[in-house]
Amino acid sequence: MDPRIPCMYGEKCYRKNPQHLQTYKHPDKRKLSETDEDEQKELETKRLCTTSPSESSSDKEDFCVPESIFSKVPVANQDGSQKDEEDRPLEPHPEVVHEDYPVSESPEDVRLSIEQKFLLELPDDFYDFWDLCVRLDREKPEEALIKAGLTLVGPYDVLTGKLKNIKKRTVSTYLCHWRYYYDPPEFMTVIAGNEREFHIGYYRDDPFLLPNFVASMSDVKPGVLNPLGENIFAGVCAYLTQRMKEENPFKKTALQRLHKEVESYAKLKKWSLEPKTAEMRARNREVVAKTFHGAGIVVPVDQTGVGYRPLPDSDATLRKILQRVVDAETEEQRLKHYDDLHEIITNVQFASDEGDFGMGLELGLDIFTFGGDVFHKSVFHLLSVAYELLARDPYIDIIQAHLKNRRRGSNLSILEVVDG
């Protein structure tokens, strides 16, 4: 008889936000004793052991991968040897297994409505920036920055009402709304530029925590994130400052006025405009690997160093391996070059079995940032396992939706795709 909305993650929900717990109902797991809860967590992290189908029953070896609701991907044997040819996939890029589910009626609370659709909570500066844009343009707040070539998009479209009449209310539809080709699951676009695929968004290591910083990305350096500040005000001010250096005097005046409006409102609301705050520097000290996108990854590492181990190959070597796979002229050549990547993935499996979950996260994000549909199955396998082990479940939904509908270009609104 509980009138609250069922949480889509059920007993897997790790949110501790009081507002979330008050609005959404969860299974009785949250009421278990500490002993029972520990046992339940142990069950959740239990590994699923299978055996290679190509080996005889007399000398088959077990290899373990984390249990997941997603597809299991064929991998190399545990001793590092390659599987027989008939056990390897005929092609390294089969269709990503995609599981989707409908989104229920929107909550009246706009914050909860955004979290329901995009699976992530947004910070107060996101809503304060909306209030500023309403002051600047009451009729179309999303276009308040249009003179600077910027438009509010993504979760802001919940505030504009553009998503109210969407026909296909599934989680993948919302998760792909304004998600650019190179946006990793940790990055959420909220502002789109009108050229060079420029966009600004929030980056966070943990989906159950608020963003760590605001960054931008463009096709000048595809896939590379450029940190702009701790909040959206700092991000927009940094962008406007750079634009003012490049524009002619006539356009520069309009940008200066806009910059003053953003700066004044940020000071009124006490938002820092520093490009790098103490919190951002503290986060940088916790980064265990830079990754191809430049923002790095942060994962739990205990005092003995368990939690992360570096990849066996340098970034340059990994790029060469991936490039050889992409450049292969025949399927036979591609499979041969893919063996080098399988060898690294095998190392990741060993690392995960020994608690170094960050290694798989690093490799998965590096391959994702490198780009190429040929790698989608490997990316999905690596990231879904890593996110599950790190208890970052929302990112699994995001990466599977994105890989199923990964698009290039600058207009990444899902509305045109759904309604078209």
Side-chain angles (χ1 to χ4, degrees), residues 230-244:
E230 195 173 69
N231 57 75
I232 199 67
F233 289 92
V236 171
C237 279
Y239 167 80
L240 292 174
T241 299
Q242 183 61 37
R243 279 290 301 270
M244 287 187 289

Side-chain angles (χ1 to χ4, degrees), residues 137-202:
D137 189 335
R138 189 165 295 277
E139 291 188 5
K140 289 189 175 183
E142 69 273 22
E143 297 182 5
L145 308 177
I146 202 69
K147 290 182 179 179
L150 301 177
T151 305
L152 306 189
V153 297
Y156 275 121
D157 285 335
V158 174
L159 299 175
T160 63
K162 292 181 180 179
L163 297 178
K164 281 185 177 179
N165 299 319
I166 195 168
K167 295 178 181 178
K168 190 177 180 182
R169 287 179 59 86
T170 61
V171 69
S172 64
T173 301
Y174 293 109
L175 294 179
C176 290
H177 186 52
W178 285 100
R179 180 159 290 278
Y180 285 74
Y181 185 86
Y182 290 104
D183 286 357
E186 292 83 356
F187 187 72
M188 174 192 280
T189 296
V190 297
I191 295 179
N194 61 359
E195 58 184 19
R196 303 305 304 265
E197 297 182 22
F198 179 85
H199 53 291
I200 297 174
Y202 289 101

Side-chain angles (χ1 to χ4, degrees), residues 25 62 70 115 126 135 150 167 207 245 320 334 354:
K25 60 183 177 183
D62 289 340
F70 304 102
E115 185 180 350
F126 172 86
R135 288 168 57 130
L150 301 177
K167 295 178 181 178
K245 296 177 182 178
K320 289 179 181 178
R334 178 167 294 172
E354 296 171 8

Side-chain angles (χ1 to χ4, degrees), residues 141-377:
E142 69 273 22
E143 297 182 5
L145 308 177
I146 202 69
K147 290 182 179 179
L150 301 177
T151 305
L152 306 189
V153 297
Y156 275 121
D157 285 335
V158 174
L159 299 175
T160 63
K162 292 181 180 179
L163 297 178
K164 281 185 177 179
N165 299 319
I166 195 168
K167 295 178 181 178
K168 190 177 180 182
R169 287 179 59 86
T170 61
V171 69
S172 64
T173 301
Y174 293 109
L175 294 179
C176 290
H177 186 52
W178 285 100
R179 180 159 290 278
Y180 285 74
Y181 185 86
Y182 290 104
D183 286 357
E186 292 83 356
F187 187 72
M188 174 192 280
T189 296
V190 297
I191 295 179
N194 61 359
E195 58 184 19
R196 303 305 304 265
E197 297 182 22
F198 179 85
H199 53 291
I200 297 174
Y202 289 101
Y203 183 95
R204 71 186 89 200
D205 296 300
D206 191 322
F208 299 109
L209 299 178
L210 292 176
N212 299 97
F213 58 86
V214 167
S216 66
M217 190 188 293
S218 73
D219 66 1
V220 175
K221 292 183 177 181
V224 177
L225 289 162
N226 175 38
L228 301 175
E230 195 173 69
N231 57 75
I232 199 67
F233 289 92
V236 171
C237 279
Y239 167 80
L240 292 174
T241 299
Q242 183 61 37
R243 279 290 301 270
M244 287 187 289
K245 296 177 182 178
E246 303 168 351
E247 292 292 354
N248 59 55
F250 178 74
K251 289 186 177 181
K252 185 177 180 179
T253 302
L255 294 176
Q256 286 175 329
R257 285 198 297 266
L258 191 55
H259 184 280
K260 186 176 180 180
E261 292 279 4
V262 176
E263 184 180 43
S264 298
Y265 203 74
K267 290 180 178 178
L268 176 66
K269 294 294 183 177
K270 296 182 171 53
W271 293 113
S272 171
L273 296 179
E274 292 294 321
K276 185 173 288 187
T277 64
E279 289 77 9
M280 292 172 66
R281 287 191 288 270
R283 185 259 174 193
N284 287 341
R285 289 193 291 270
E286 296 179 358
V287 169
V288 297
K290 185 178 179 180
T291 63
F292 285 3
H293 61 48
I297 57 171
V298 174
V299 296
V301 179
D302 67 20
Q303 294 180 345
T304 64
V306 175
Y308 171 77
R309 72 178 67 173
L311 294 171
D313 296 288
S314 66
D315 286 355
T317 300
L318 178 57
R319 289 181 188 276
K320 289 179 181 178
I321 292 173
L322 299 176
Q323 194 61 55
R324 284 197 292 267
V325 173
V326 171
D327 293 341
E329 296 181 357
T330 66
E331 195 65 21
E332 183 179 359
Q333 290 179 353
R334 178 167 294 172
L335 285 170
K336 182 179 179 181
H337 294 314
Y338 220 89
D339 285 344
D340 295 330
L341 182 58
H342 280 159
E343 194 172 319
I344 304 176
I345 293 175
T346 299
N347 287 321
V348 167
Q349 288 179 298
F350 296 154
S352 295
D353 286 341
E354 296 171 8
D356 293 325
F357 307 147
M359 187 181 186
L361 178 61
E362 179 186 7
L363 180 60
L365 288 174
D366 281 351
I367 301 175
F368 173 85
T369 303
F370 185 85
D373 296 353
V374 66
F375 301 115
H376 280 184
K377 184 172 183 180

